[in-house]
Amino acid sequence: MTYDLSVFLIVCPMVFLAGLVDSVAGGGGLVSLPAYLFAGVPPHTAVATNKCSSSMGTLVSTLRYLKSGYLDRSVAVATVLCALVGSVLGSNLMLVASDTLLRYLLIPLIPVVAFYVLRRRGEGNPEPLPLKRRRWIMAVISLVLGVYDGFYGPGTGTFLLLLYTSLAKLDLKTASGNVKLVNLSSNLAAVAVFLWNGQIAIPLGLVAGLFGIAGNYLGTGLVLKRGGKIIRPMLLVVLSLLFLKLLLDP
């Protein structure tokens, strides 16, 4: 699959923005996936190629979080394994869905996901749960959202963060590190499935991924400085454009 320069000019800047958004506020896929679709990439290829480029950026932000020590290692193995299994299931489901079905699924999913992504999140200091209960809760969350990430993806990181902090009672910084590790795992599993089935536009995905790396690197530094407020208006503009495109396309 090859695309002309205009596709790269639309996708790459938006993937850079998506990396910035994702590392600061989560939900970067709400920017990058619409960019692929807006550039005219078919839905299956858009989801698969977006997963490729976002994985590259997520790897960078994950390493930066882990280097800073933001990780609950006692639950890491269980959550990663569950995310891998869920993502393989979800990505295989996506492959058998028709382009029309994917398009009509996006119409109701985008505003629902956006609503949760754009909500304010608290930063309290919750009482920690016992290890076994925390591990079980986070494993189930990771499995379910791994399926969602493999099938669709946008907002996965934010959903993980919301659930890890509200149900598993992790503090925000530790939850962020675990979210990045789990999200990276589910991304890589989906990429492997999509590569095996020839769904990724590799040149576009790799070039866009470099822009995603730059965005994630910059955005991860902004996390510590509370730079996320500028992201919400950007998300609203991009979501509005995608929503109009989906509604108006035949």
Side-chain angles (χ1 to χ4, degrees):
M1 288 172 280
T2 58
Y3 294 95
D4 59 32
L5 181 60
S6 63
V7 174
F8 284 80
L9 291 177
I10 293 171
V11 169
C12 290
M14 297 306 291
V15 171
F16 170 82
L17 176 60
L20 183 67
V21 168
D22 199 58
S23 58
V24 173
L30 288 169
V31 176
S32 57
L33 181 56
Y36 284 102
L37 294 169
F38 198 77
V41 180
H44 281 89
T45 304
V47 172
T49 308
N50 176 60
K51 194 64 66 178
C52 174
S53 59
S54 64
S55 296
M56 295 171 63
T58 301
L59 175 61
V60 172
S61 59
T62 300
L63 292 175
R64 292 198 72 185
Y65 271 105
L66 298 185
K67 185 178 179 181
S68 300
Y70 299 145
L71 180 69
D72 183 350
R73 297 180 184 274
S74 63
V75 299
V77 173
T79 54
V80 165
L81 290 176
C82 287
L84 289 171
V85 172
S87 184
V88 170
L89 291 173
S91 54
N92 277 284
L93 285 173
M94 192 280 290
L95 290 173
V96 299
S98 68
D99 279 2
T100 301
L101 176 61
L102 284 178
R103 184 175 299 277
Y104 283 108
L105 281 175
L106 289 177
I107 292 175
L109 274 175
I110 286 173
V112 172
V113 173
F115 171 76
Y116 285 99
V117 169
L118 296 172
R119 289 180 64 186
R120 295 177 61 85
R121 296 193 297 269
E123 298 189 24
N125 296 305
E127 289 292 327
L129 293 177
L131 174 59
K132 288 185 178 180
R133 185 179 177 189
R134 183 169 72 251
R135 184 185 289 133
W136 180 83
I137 290 173
M138 292 179 66
V140 172
I141 292 169
S142 302
L143 177 64
V144 173
L145 287 176
V147 174
Y148 169 78
D149 194 34
F151 184 83
Y152 177 51
T156 299
T158 302
F159 284 143
L160 284 167
L161 189 60
L162 288 169
L163 294 174
Y164 282 0
T165 52
S166 63
L167 298 183
K169 305 300 183 183
L170 292 184
D171 66 88
L172 188 58
K173 289 184 178 180
T174 302
S176 296
N178 284 83
V179 163
K180 289 300 178 185
L181 183 61
V182 168
N183 207 3
L184 176 64
S185 302
S186 64
N187 281 348
L188 293 177
V191 167
V193 172
F194 295 146
L195 277 174
W196 180 261
N197 288 275
Q199 292 293 324
I200 297 177
I202 295 176
L204 177 60
L206 292 179
V207 174
L210 295 177
F211 282 80
I213 287 174
N216 271 273
Y217 187 85
L218 177 62
T220 304
L222 292 176
V223 168
L224 300 178
K225 299 179 181 179
R226 307 292 183 91
K229 291 183 179 180
I230 61 171
I231 302 303
R232 297 173 190 272
M234 296 177 186
L235 280 174
L236 288 173
V237 171
V238 175
L239 286 171
S240 299
L241 290 173
L242 173 63
F243 207 62
L244 286 172
K245 180 176 174 62
L246 290 172
L247 290 174
L248 295 176
D249 276 357

